[in-house]
Amino acid sequence: MEVTDMKITKVDYAATGAFSQTIADYLSQSEKLKTFYHRFPTLEAFGEQIKEKQFTEAQRHILCQVLQEQYGSLTDIHPTVQQNLELLQQPNTYTVTTGHQLNIFTGPLYFVYKIVTAINTCRQLQAAYPDYNFVPVYWMATEDHDFAEINHFNLFGKRYTWESEQTGAVGRFATTGLDKVLEELPEAFPIFEDAYRNSKTLADATLAITHALFGEYGLVSIDGDHKELKKALIPVVEKELNEQLSNKLVEETNAQLEQLGYKPQVFSREINLFYLQDGMRERIVQEGDRYKVLNTEISFSQEEILQEAQQHPERFSPNVILRPLFEEMVLPNLAYIGGGAEVAYWFQLCKVFEAHQVTFPIIMLRNSALYISKPNASRMHKLGLEPIELFQDYQELKKKLSSQLHEEEINLETQREAVAKAFKQVEALAEGIDPTLVRAVAAEQQKAHNSLQMLEKKLSKARDSKHEQTFKQLENLKDKLFPNGSLQERQDNLLSYQTNHPNFIPALVEAFDPLEFKFTILEEE
């Protein structure tokens, strides 16, 4: 399936009705939002970002050491990935990063869209700035502890779930129990079989999967749950514990956003840190002069917790407010790519970055797509619809089809008049031959009249039934392309598409333009 076999349509995000006002205002570069981010994503802006981004040789050395160690879990490293791992040692190499939870089997389709957006951004930057190197990075949210969000996925309309009693950071979970999910699947998927059967942890398995899917494009995946990386976070942890600065700054920003009519996407805590150990990730709270770890007996004095941070920085896990800062501190990163909700929450963080003197990255909306398979494209064309019209509400589309289907009411009046005229002639003939036959002619005329009336009703009913069939086809098409009434990318899984179309990912790579900021419709021809 090459893109040459695909019809590509690009539409404005606003035209889909599936994105927030915040995103619409950002993409239109509304003045209202300009104080909440650093630079809008254009090729020229990246040149400025390169000049500003500071990343020392020592930071590079730590990053490359950690990546080398993490990639040791793979038996073979793709040459393009190996090349990028080596390029990261060079002072003129920068990254473009996206991040996501460790959803089993990659979870919803937008996981793939995020990564393809990062890959294509690097390609465009390489062409525009040949004196530099650009590496796409997937930040694995290994420290996330919301297992219920990642333990399932939908394949061909059926939900598959990984049952496990494990707790704490999901990246540390053993892959035990995933073999049962593999056995339930309708067919074998070798990439996932290998990863889940041969990896010790979910973090290792996810690294193996992303490497198998995107290795040829040079994607580098990183796990931030590492002591050497966490050392960079020590000053942030100390400031957080001593001053609770991030909460004050985020609350100030939230108030400004709300005044402009924007709803904050994420909520800040007084202390935006978790305490992390095997099987446990719990919030740190201050009660009087003690720092307690919720739902445990663990408690520290101020001196003790600051000492703990110095000696064991790996035990401190940033939440959604501080994780972006951590990413930017340990990567030579220029841009972060996220979905609509992520882009919105980065707008809450500008002051936090300023306070810690870390360059705020360029924030990019990931590519979004609607994929229309050949059978669905055929249904769409039979209904006389264009791809952009599919985003309309079902009832709106039904009205449109009704008006298209509208024909004059089925009426056999002309035929009735013709039959009446014919019977009048027969009646005149009967009158001249045998007047007693006139009544018989009238009876036959009434029968003919009744027959035509019955046929009129049958024809009307048949046409209505045909229209109902059309409406049913429309309903089925909407269900296929917008499962559960939401965008396909938020419900369906990669395997639902790649199984029938092995070149699905290359087709996305060819179709997506990250800096165009248009919704992509891919239609098989």
Side-chain angles (χ1 to χ4, degrees), residues 205-221:
T206 307
L207 175 67
I209 289 162
T210 50
H211 182 264
L213 292 173
F214 302 103
E216 65 183 286
Y217 304 106
L219 179 76
V220 170
S221 298

Side-chain angles (χ1 to χ4, degrees), residues 15 21 27 49 55 95 109 183 209 247 256 307 311 332 354 356 371 387 422 431 448 461 463 476 491 494 520:
Q21 190 58 47
L27 296 182
Q49 197 76 11
F55 203 68
T95 61
L109 203 49
E183 285 158 15
I209 289 162
N247 185 50
Q256 292 170 335
Q307 193 177 3
Q311 292 175 353
E354 281 172 26
H356 291 283
Y371 184 80
E431 185 78 47
K461 195 174 177 183
R463 189 193 63 184
N476 288 340
Q491 300 286 327
L494 167 68
T520 307

Side-chain angles (χ1 to χ4, degrees), residues 234 237-244 271 273-276 282-287 289-294 298-317:
I234 293 172
V237 171
E238 289 174 344
K239 217 175 185 72
E240 190 68 8
L241 295 169
N242 289 332
E243 302 173 40
Q244 300 175 7
I271 296 174
L273 292 168
F274 290 93
Y275 192 69
L276 180 65
E282 294 285 354
R283 274 178 51 215
I284 298 169
V285 294
Q286 188 173 4
E287 292 180 10
D289 59 356
R290 303 292 293 176
Y291 292 85
K292 295 188 176 181
V293 179
L294 285 182
I298 303 168
S299 157
F300 302 94
S301 67
Q302 185 177 39
E303 189 184 344
E304 287 167 345
I305 201 164
L306 292 174
Q307 193 177 3
E308 181 82 348
Q310 284 287 341
Q311 292 175 353
H312 296 287
E314 73 280 7
R315 293 180 185 169
F316 291 82
S317 177

Side-chain angles (χ1 to χ4, degrees), residues 507-523:
L508 294 176
V509 172
E510 286 190 52
F512 282 177
D513 183 342
L515 295 171
E516 191 179 24
F517 301 113
K518 297 273 189 183
F519 189 100
T520 307
I521 300 170
L522 297 98
E523 180 190 337

Side-chain angles (χ1 to χ4, degrees), residues 18 52 55 60 124 250 380 498 509 517:
E52 189 180 346
F55 203 68
R60 279 187 191 277
Q124 289 192 11
V250 170
M380 178 181 74
Q498 199 175 38
V509 172
F517 301 113

Side-chain angles (χ1 to χ4, degrees), residues 280-524:
M280 182 261 283
R281 184 182 187 237
E282 294 285 354
R283 274 178 51 215
I284 298 169
V285 294
Q286 188 173 4
E287 292 180 10
D289 59 356
R290 303 292 293 176
Y291 292 85
K292 295 188 176 181
V293 179
L294 285 182
N295 304 312
T296 73
E297 298 298 313
I298 303 168
S299 157
F300 302 94
S301 67
Q302 185 177 39
E303 189 184 344
E304 287 167 345
I305 201 164
L306 292 174
Q307 193 177 3
E308 181 82 348
Q310 284 287 341
Q311 292 175 353
H312 296 287
E314 73 280 7
R315 293 180 185 169
F316 291 82
S317 177
N319 75 354
V320 68
I321 299 293
L322 291 179
R323 191 196 62 242
L325 185 72
F326 177 41
E327 288 171 16
E328 297 303 314
M329 291 173 83
V330 298
L331 290 170
N333 198 47
L334 301 175
Y336 182 84
I337 291 161
E342 284 175 286
V343 167
Y345 82 61
W346 276 83
F347 295 154
Q348 297 172 244
L349 306 178
C350 234
K351 288 182 179 178
V352 177
F353 276 77
E354 281 172 26
H356 291 283
Q357 297 180 310
V358 176
T359 306
F360 196 77
I362 291 172
I363 305 302
M364 291 177 63
L365 182 68
R366 65 169 169 80
N367 282 103
S368 274
L370 174 67
Y371 184 80
I372 308 174
S373 65
K374 205 164 187 174
N376 286 329
S378 173
R379 290 184 192 107
M380 178 181 74
H381 293 304
K382 274 183 188 170
L383 291 167
L385 296 172
E386 289 298 317
I388 185 59
E389 293 177 298
L390 296 170
F391 289 94
Q392 291 177 27
D393 177 70
Y394 169 71
Q395 293 301 334
E396 288 297 312
L397 282 174
K398 193 174 173 183
K399 273 184 203 170
K400 176 185 164 64
L401 284 185
S402 294
S403 65
Q404 284 177 353
L405 293 166
H406 181 69
E407 300 148 4
E408 285 184 28
E409 195 177 340
I410 290 175
N411 188 325
L412 300 183
E413 192 55 41
T414 309
Q415 289 78 4
R416 272 195 288 271
E417 284 174 8
V419 168
K421 193 175 178 182
F423 270 103
K424 207 161 189 65
Q425 290 168 355
V426 174
E427 189 183 326
L429 196 60
E431 185 78 47
I433 297 169
D434 182 352
T436 60
L437 290 174
V438 170
R439 193 176 283 180
V441 172
E444 291 302 323
Q445 183 180 350
Q446 188 60 45
K447 277 186 196 174
H449 176 83
N450 292 344
S451 293
L452 284 172
Q453 245 184 344
M454 189 175 69
L455 284 169
E456 189 178 73
K457 282 180 184 171
K458 281 187 174 178
L459 286 166
S460 291
K461 195 174 177 183
R463 189 193 63 184
D464 289 346
S465 172
K466 188 180 170 187
H467 289 186
E468 277 307 314
Q469 201 177 347
T470 301
F471 297 143
K472 191 70 190 164
Q473 286 169 353
L474 172 65
E475 194 178 350
N476 288 340
L477 182 64
K478 283 284 286 180
D479 285 346
K480 287 273 185 194
L481 298 179
F482 298 88
N484 296 326
S486 74
L487 289 181
Q488 192 183 62
E489 63 189 42
R490 296 173 188 168
Q491 300 286 327
D492 290 345
N493 176 266
L494 167 68
L495 294 174
S496 298
Y497 298 86
Q498 199 175 38
T499 303
N500 296 322
H501 310 291
N503 289 326
F504 179 67
I505 289 174
L508 294 176
V509 172
E510 286 190 52
F512 282 177
D513 183 342
L515 295 171
E516 191 179 24
F517 301 113
K518 297 273 189 183
F519 189 100
T520 307
I521 300 170
L522 297 98
E523 180 190 337
E524 275 187 58

